[in-house]
């Protein structure tokens, strides 16, 4: 059982965790990084398949290549926005791969655990959902350790596979840049940039069936 | 910044959280359930799209129907196991929908936030990954509140859509049964049942490129 202080600590971390894209070059002590990885590894996984791997990218040349892949995709996507939204988009900083001391490529191996993983037989994407749970654990752990984390999702998967020599069947689910930062945001950066607002939770809850409000 | 006690609290919750399938019928106070839902709603989401809804299923008849959908799928999947594994499978309890006072269907609406959600344009499944982050937050919140949670992934999505009147474009990502339990497991139930073991984290970490061990 957990006490009130422990409850408060968990909720504080959950509420204060932010997506960060500005990092100092200061390196991360290896025991701290290890705790973040252990937190990820203790996520739930469908059929206990633990489909994740963690590629710790610290090499400057590889980081440059990953940043190139992200920048290429950012330019391609900017074509889809027009007018005011296009200007807003071009001003957003979408990643900090070159600055961050480490970027972790979190992968999902759909063959882990054999051909008939319990539960994954019904819903195959439960393997990447498990991987996302690991990422959320790593994010909360980073936050409590005073580390900033940014989830980069601007890339073509095959570019990342090519750069990090990832086999074709393995899914590079996320690039997580981790490091220290000078200003940890107090609210979501997309809210601060007036890109999107937080919705009212009340409007997202239904009772018993879709659309039913008590 | 967080202190040592707060760090310890987060890691304790992360390490002690388990998937539970045995519940007492005792109901959950509404403020506690509300905190669990708020924790989910404070998950990160791609482009801040917040694609989730939470359908709180408490009606006995609907719970029976969801349990039927899960049982049907369990029977169908049992066909895929043979010999010892088949016996092991049939002994596993895969859900506790009828006993738990509430089962939350967490859904993902891929149309939330319009046609060009920031980041989701590159990797469309980032919407369900965001939803999984919300589920992990809810799982940790449940654990710290002394509540047991079980993620049911044995169902055909269209059965759940039919039972809960979910529109065809909305993805019923998970059924989460939540309630109190008499014996919260100290280790993963699939480990206790000798179905799978926890892997060594060390073997899952690579340096710079896939397969590279320092």
């Amino acid at each position: 059982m957990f006490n009130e202080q422990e409850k408060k600590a968990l909720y504080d971390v959950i509420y204060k965790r932010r997506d960060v894209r500005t990092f100092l070059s200061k390196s991360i002590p290896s025991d701290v990084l290890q705790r973040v990885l252990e937190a990820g590894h203790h996520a739930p996984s469908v059929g206990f398949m633990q489909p994740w791997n963690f590629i710790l990218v610290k090499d400057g040349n590889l980081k440059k290549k990953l940043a190139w892949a992200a920048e290429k995709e950012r330019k391609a996507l900017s074509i889809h926005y027009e007018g005011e939204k296009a200007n807003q988009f071009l001003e957003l900083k979408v990643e900090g791969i070159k600055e961050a001391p480490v970027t972790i490529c979190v992968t999902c191996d759909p063959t882990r655990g054999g051909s008939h993983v319990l539960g994954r037989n019904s819903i195959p994407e439960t393997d990447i959902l498990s991987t996302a749970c690991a990422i959320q654990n790593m994010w909360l752990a980073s936050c409590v350790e005073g580390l900033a984390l940014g989830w980069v999702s601007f890339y073509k998967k095959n570019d990342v596979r090519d750069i990090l020599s990832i086999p074709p069947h393995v899914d590079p689910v996320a690039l997580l840049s981790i490091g220290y930062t000078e200003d940890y945001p107090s609210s979501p950066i997309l809210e601060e940039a007036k890109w999107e607002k937080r919705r009212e939770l009340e409007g997202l809850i239904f009772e018993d069936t879709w659309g039913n409000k008590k």
Side-chain angles (χ1 to χ4, degrees), chain A:
Chain A
M1 289 297 290
F2 293 94
N3 63 32
E4 288 305 315
Q5 278 184 316
E6 290 166 318
K7 276 189 206 177
K8 186 175 177 306
L10 175 72
Y11 288 121
D12 273 358
V13 183
I14 285 176
Y15 279 64
K16 288 183 180 167
R17 177 213 51 79
R18 293 275 98 75
D19 194 325
V20 182
R21 290 146 196 193
T22 311
F23 301 94
L24 301 168
S25 60
K26 185 184 167 189
S27 67
I28 305 169
S30 60
D31 59 321
V32 178
L33 194 57
Q34 187 66 22
R35 287 198 293 273
V36 171
L37 294 166
E38 282 285 3
H41 188 45
H42 278 77
S45 62
V46 65
F48 205 20
M49 78 181 285
Q50 309 159 71
W52 41 70
N53 283 88
F54 309 97
I55 310 175
L56 313 183
V57 183
K58 296 177 185 172
D59 177 79
N61 192 34
L62 291 173
K63 287 199 283 186
K64 255 186 224 166
K65 286 183 182 171
L66 290 177
W68 161 83
E71 179 56 21
K72 191 166 63 116
E73 184 68 359
R74 195 178 79 99
K75 277 186 194 150
L77 291 177
S78 71
I79 307 289
H80 295 283
Y81 295 104
E82 285 175 20
E84 176 58 22
K85 210 75 178 166
N87 294 332
Q88 252 186 307
F89 178 81
L90 288 167
E91 280 169 16
L92 287 173
K93 182 165 164 48
V94 299
E95 51 82 19
I97 298 172
K98 277 186 284 191
E99 303 95 294
V102 60
T103 288
I104 304 177
C105 181
V106 184
T107 61
C108 174
D109 181 350
T111 67
R112 183 83 41 86
S115 305
H116 295 290
V117 169
L118 188 78
R120 189 180 176 274
N121 254 350
S122 299
I123 306 180
E125 68 269 26
T126 43
D127 56 3
I128 56 168
L129 300 179
S130 305
T131 308
C133 288
I135 292 170
Q136 180 63 3
N137 271 6
M138 294 167 74
W139 215 331
L140 297 172
S142 297
C143 180
V144 92
E145 295 282 359
L147 285 167
L149 183 152
W151 179 334
V152 182
S153 59
F154 278 74
Y155 56 84
K156 288 278 177 264
K157 288 182 181 180
N158 278 339
D159 280 339
V160 170
R161 284 195 186 94
D162 288 347
I163 296 166
L164 303 180
S165 309
I166 297 169
H169 71 284
V170 173
D171 187 344
V173 172
L175 292 173
L176 307 180
S177 292
I178 309 190
Y180 294 94
T181 192
E182 270 189 324
D183 53 333
Y184 200 88
S186 57
S187 51
I189 50 178
L190 290 180
E191 191 171 66
E192 281 176 11
K194 300 196 190 313
W195 184 271
E196 265 299 350
K197 287 184 218 164
R198 190 179 301 278
R199 288 166 188 267
E200 289 292 326
L201 171 59
E202 213 37 49
L204 302 172
I205 299 173
F206 299 132
E207 304 277 340
D208 283 321
T209 52
W210 181 270
N212 184 46
K213 311 290 292 179
K214 270 234 173 97

